[in-house]
Amino acid sequence: MNITQITSKIPEFCMSHWLLRIPLAIVFLQQGLAKWPIDTDTATSFGLPLLVWAFVVLGEIGSGLGLFVGGLLAGFKNIIKEFGDMITRFSGITICSIMTGVIWMSEPDSFWDVILYDNFHVMLWVGGMFFALRGNRT
């Protein structure tokens, strides 16, 4: 018995993307809702203009909801399925954009400081990139 025969007997779990999608969506929903309502004082405390702060808060909430909705629309057929894929990809791009801003605002000394010491934000960024690149074709 060769390795191909052994691995072909392992069942495939086609819904495994939910194991990444759900926690990532929950983190972004939680972070976005914790910043609600949008106000100038909170934006100023983070050193951001109100417009940028509004995009961050709405982007976090929207990307969290988008990961859920995009995943649910994957079960449909035709244009609805493709629309769900686009929502998932856009949510992933939004997550990457927000996480890039968060990492950038922390003013790390080097790239390696980010990789070695900012694990949480890097993992959120990688999760967003996964959905941006793969969409619902996981």
Side-chain angles (χ1 to χ4, degrees):
M1 185 175 279
N2 64 24
I3 192 76
T4 306
Q5 292 172 327
I6 294 170
T7 58
S8 67
K9 293 181 180 184
I10 299 172
E12 183 179 337
F13 180 56
C14 64
M15 303 297 278
S16 60
H17 62 94
W18 286 104
L19 297 174
L20 180 59
R21 187 183 299 262
I22 290 172
L24 190 60
I26 288 172
V27 166
F28 271 81
L29 280 170
Q30 183 181 24
Q31 291 297 314
L33 292 173
K35 295 175 178 84
W36 193 265
I38 301 168
D39 66 343
T40 308
D41 294 335
T42 310
T44 306
S45 71
F46 280 90
L48 297 172
L50 183 60
L51 181 63
V52 173
W53 184 248
F55 274 111
V56 168
V57 174
L58 296 175
E60 287 176 344
I61 294 170
S63 62
L65 290 174
L67 283 180
F68 279 130
V69 171
L72 292 174
L73 293 180
F76 288 88
K77 294 184 179 185
N78 299 332
I79 193 75
I80 295 174
K81 180 178 181 176
E82 296 305 319
F83 187 63
D85 183 65
M86 288 179 7
I87 291 172
T88 296
R89 289 176 188 271
F90 185 73
S91 297
I93 291 167
T94 303
I95 288 170
C96 285
S97 300
I98 291 170
M99 294 318 326
T100 300
V102 167
I103 293 168
W104 190 7
M105 290 296 292
S106 70
E107 299 178 3
D109 292 332
S110 70
F111 172 76
W112 292 109
D113 279 351
V114 174
I115 298 299
L116 295 174
Y117 305 116
D118 200 2
N119 310 59
F120 182 65
H121 294 126
V122 170
M123 289 303 295
L124 293 176
W125 190 92
V126 169
M129 185 58 72
F130 173 81
F131 285 110
L133 295 175
R134 295 290 298 173
N136 287 341
R137 298 179 186 133
T138 53

